[in-house]
mmCIF file of all heavy atoms in Angstrom:
data_model
loop_
_atom_site.group_PDB
_atom_site.id
_atom_site.type_symbol
_atom_site.label_atom_id
_atom_site.label_comp_id
_atom_site.label_asym_id
_atom_site.label_seq_id
_atom_site.Cartn_x
_atom_site.Cartn_y
_atom_site.Cartn_z
ATOM 1 N N LEU A 34 57.856 26.131 13.060
ATOM 2 C CA LEU A 34 58.966 26.068 14.066
ATOM 3 C C LEU A 34 60.302 25.776 13.417
ATOM 4 O O LEU A 34 61.346 26.393 13.770
ATOM 5 C CB LEU A 34 58.682 25.091 15.192
ATOM 6 C CG LEU A 34 59.624 24.924 16.251
ATOM 7 C CD1 LEU A 34 59.789 26.314 16.959
ATOM 8 C CD2 LEU A 34 59.111 23.767 17.291
ATOM 9 N N ILE A 35 60.261 24.732 12.586
ATOM 10 C CA ILE A 35 61.483 24.417 11.801
ATOM 11 C C ILE A 35 62.064 25.678 11.050
ATOM 12 O O ILE A 35 63.379 25.971 10.965
ATOM 13 C CB ILE A 35 61.376 23.121 10.879
ATOM 14 C CG1 ILE A 35 61.118 21.916 11.642
ATOM 15 C CG2 ILE A 35 62.461 23.072 9.916
ATOM 16 C CD1 ILE A 35 60.696 20.666 10.898
ATOM 17 N N TYR A 36 61.289 26.294 10.207
ATOM 18 C CA TYR A 36 61.609 27.577 9.505
ATOM 19 C C TYR A 36 62.176 28.494 10.411
ATOM 20 O O TYR A 36 63.252 29.035 10.214
ATOM 21 C CB TYR A 36 60.406 28.068 8.832
ATOM 22 C CG TYR A 36 60.632 29.298 7.921
ATOM 23 C CD1 TYR A 36 61.179 29.080 6.709
ATOM 24 C CD2 TYR A 36 60.284 30.504 8.431
ATOM 25 C CE1 TYR A 36 61.437 30.328 5.879
ATOM 26 C CE2 TYR A 36 60.460 31.725 7.628
ATOM 27 C CZ TYR A 36 61.024 31.443 6.311
ATOM 28 O OH TYR A 36 61.198 32.598 5.531
ATOM 29 N N LEU A 37 61.508 28.859 11.685
ATOM 30 C CA LEU A 37 62.046 29.820 12.562
ATOM 31 C C LEU A 37 63.522 29.354 13.079
ATOM 32 O O LEU A 37 64.417 30.174 13.139
ATOM 33 C CB LEU A 37 61.155 29.980 13.642
ATOM 34 C CG LEU A 37 61.633 30.956 14.822
ATOM 35 C CD1 LEU A 37 61.657 32.385 14.361
ATOM 36 C CD2 LEU A 37 60.682 30.826 15.943
ATOM 37 N N ILE A 38 63.658 28.097 13.506
ATOM 38 C CA ILE A 38 64.850 27.557 14.132
ATOM 39 C C ILE A 38 66.032 27.722 13.041
ATOM 40 O O ILE A 38 67.114 28.237 13.368
ATOM 41 C CB ILE A 38 64.619 26.080 14.551
ATOM 42 C CG1 ILE A 38 63.835 26.113 15.825
ATOM 43 C CG2 ILE A 38 65.954 25.570 14.741
ATOM 44 C CD1 ILE A 38 63.428 24.683 16.206
ATOM 45 N N MET A 39 65.755 27.339 11.769
ATOM 46 C CA MET A 39 66.815 27.305 10.727
ATOM 47 C C MET A 39 67.290 28.777 10.428
ATOM 48 O O MET A 39 68.361 29.041 10.190
ATOM 49 C CB MET A 39 66.263 26.587 9.499
ATOM 50 C CG MET A 39 66.211 25.029 9.626
ATOM 51 S SD MET A 39 67.734 24.340 10.259
ATOM 52 C CE MET A 39 68.935 24.712 8.967
ATOM 53 N N ASN A 40 66.302 29.622 10.523
ATOM 54 C CA ASN A 40 66.607 31.031 10.282
ATOM 55 C C ASN A 40 67.488 31.759 11.411
ATOM 56 O O ASN A 40 68.361 32.356 11.249
ATOM 57 C CB ASN A 40 65.357 31.926 9.921
ATOM 58 C CG ASN A 40 65.006 31.720 8.457
ATOM 59 O OD1 ASN A 40 65.738 32.221 7.642
ATOM 60 N ND2 ASN A 40 63.947 31.023 8.270
ATOM 61 N N VAL A 41 67.060 31.266 12.549
ATOM 62 C CA VAL A 41 67.992 31.678 13.810
ATOM 63 C C VAL A 41 69.382 31.162 13.644
ATOM 64 O O VAL A 41 70.344 31.785 13.946
ATOM 65 C CB VAL A 41 67.259 31.364 15.157
ATOM 66 C CG1 VAL A 41 68.179 31.556 16.252
ATOM 67 C CG2 VAL A 41 66.023 32.094 15.313
ATOM 68 N N ILE A 42 69.501 29.907 13.346
ATOM 69 C CA ILE A 42 70.795 29.336 13.144
ATOM 70 C C ILE A 42 71.524 29.946 11.993
ATOM 71 O O ILE A 42 72.753 30.243 12.066
ATOM 72 C CB ILE A 42 70.565 27.696 12.810
ATOM 73 C CG1 ILE A 42 70.096 26.950 14.028
ATOM 74 C CG2 ILE A 42 71.888 27.147 12.320
ATOM 75 C CD1 ILE A 42 69.707 25.603 13.795
ATOM 76 N N GLY A 43 70.830 30.317 10.921
ATOM 77 C CA GLY A 43 71.556 30.996 9.759
ATOM 78 C C GLY A 43 72.012 32.311 10.102
ATOM 79 O O GLY A 43 73.284 32.652 9.874
ATOM 80 N N PHE A 44 71.217 33.032 10.974
ATOM 81 C CA PHE A 44 71.624 34.323 11.491
ATOM 82 C C PHE A 44 72.936 34.242 12.386
ATOM 83 O O PHE A 44 73.919 34.965 12.191
ATOM 84 C CB PHE A 44 70.430 34.976 12.227
ATOM 85 C CG PHE A 44 70.741 36.386 12.647
ATOM 86 C CD1 PHE A 44 70.625 37.458 11.791
ATOM 87 C CD2 PHE A 44 71.166 36.565 13.902
ATOM 88 C CE1 PHE A 44 70.820 38.719 12.370
ATOM 89 C CE2 PHE A 44 71.471 37.881 14.548
ATOM 90 C CZ PHE A 44 71.267 39.035 13.562
ATOM 91 N N CYS A 45 72.812 33.326 13.192
ATOM 92 C CA CYS A 45 74.037 33.121 14.229
ATOM 93 C C CYS A 45 75.299 32.595 13.399
ATOM 94 O O CYS A 45 76.405 32.959 13.838
ATOM 95 C CB CYS A 45 73.595 32.098 15.290
ATOM 96 S SG CYS A 45 72.362 32.671 16.395
ATOM 97 N N LEU A 46 75.058 31.833 12.425
ATOM 98 C CA LEU A 46 76.277 31.346 11.658
ATOM 99 C C LEU A 46 76.897 32.549 10.886
ATOM 100 O O LEU A 46 78.155 32.543 10.874
ATOM 101 C CB LEU A 46 75.917 30.293 10.576
ATOM 102 C CG LEU A 46 75.675 28.911 11.063
ATOM 103 C CD1 LEU A 46 75.161 28.060 9.921
ATOM 104 C CD2 LEU A 46 76.840 28.423 11.689
ATOM 105 N N MET A 47 76.079 33.442 10.445
ATOM 106 C CA MET A 47 76.824 34.569 9.840
ATOM 107 C C MET A 47 77.554 35.473 10.751
ATOM 108 O O MET A 47 78.495 35.943 10.381
ATOM 109 C CB MET A 47 75.702 35.443 9.151
ATOM 110 C CG MET A 47 75.058 34.852 7.814
ATOM 111 S SD MET A 47 76.313 34.274 6.647
ATOM 112 C CE MET A 47 76.232 35.784 5.541
ATOM 113 N N LYS A 48 76.968 35.582 12.014
ATOM 114 C CA LYS A 48 77.641 36.332 13.072
ATOM 115 C C LYS A 48 78.911 35.596 13.371
ATOM 116 O O LYS A 48 80.025 36.294 13.599
ATOM 117 C CB LYS A 48 76.821 36.498 14.240
ATOM 118 C CG LYS A 48 77.365 37.284 15.415
ATOM 119 C CD LYS A 48 76.562 37.505 16.633
ATOM 120 C CE LYS A 48 77.313 38.360 17.551
ATOM 121 N NZ LYS A 48 76.939 38.288 18.959
ATOM 122 N N LEU A 49 78.813 34.273 13.620
ATOM 123 C CA LEU A 49 80.003 33.603 14.039
ATOM 124 C C LEU A 49 81.077 33.606 13.044
ATOM 125 O O LEU A 49 82.307 33.864 13.186
ATOM 126 C CB LEU A 49 79.602 32.130 14.374
ATOM 127 C CG LEU A 49 80.637 31.063 14.744
ATOM 128 C CD1 LEU A 49 81.383 31.458 15.956
ATOM 129 C CD2 LEU A 49 80.190 29.744 14.800
ATOM 130 N N ASP A 50 80.750 33.556 11.748
ATOM 131 C CA ASP A 50 81.735 33.358 10.626
ATOM 132 C C ASP A 50 82.379 34.950 10.618
ATOM 133 O O ASP A 50 83.612 35.013 10.419
ATOM 134 C CB ASP A 50 81.149 33.075 9.258
ATOM 135 C CG ASP A 50 82.043 32.703 8.220
ATOM 136 O OD1 ASP A 50 82.991 31.964 8.528
ATOM 137 O OD2 ASP A 50 82.043 33.299 7.159
ATOM 138 N N LYS A 51 81.597 36.022 10.762
ATOM 139 C CA LYS A 51 82.146 37.299 10.720
ATOM 140 C C LYS A 51 83.170 37.414 11.879
ATOM 141 O O LYS A 51 84.249 38.029 11.654
ATOM 142 C CB LYS A 51 81.060 38.337 10.772
ATOM 143 C CG LYS A 51 81.553 39.751 10.869
ATOM 144 C CD LYS A 51 82.077 40.140 9.640
ATOM 145 C CE LYS A 51 82.584 41.632 9.729
ATOM 146 N NZ LYS A 51 82.834 42.312 8.383
ATOM 147 N N GLU A 52 82.770 36.979 13.049
ATOM 148 C CA GLU A 52 83.715 37.117 14.165
ATOM 149 C C GLU A 52 84.982 36.317 13.954
ATOM 150 O O GLU A 52 86.082 36.817 14.169
ATOM 151 C CB GLU A 52 83.009 36.713 15.465
ATOM 152 C CG GLU A 52 81.934 37.534 15.877
ATOM 153 C CD GLU A 52 81.174 36.950 17.072
ATOM 154 O OE1 GLU A 52 81.361 35.785 17.392
ATOM 155 O OE2 GLU A 52 80.365 37.644 17.652
#
Side-chain angles (χ1 to χ4, degrees):
L34 183 62
I35 290 169
Y36 182 77
L37 177 66
I38 290 169
M39 288 307 297
N40 279 290
V41 169
I42 289 170
F44 184 83
C45 291
L46 282 178
M47 291 303 269
K48 180 179 187 208
L49 179 63
D50 195 48
K51 176 66 176 193
E52 289 172 353

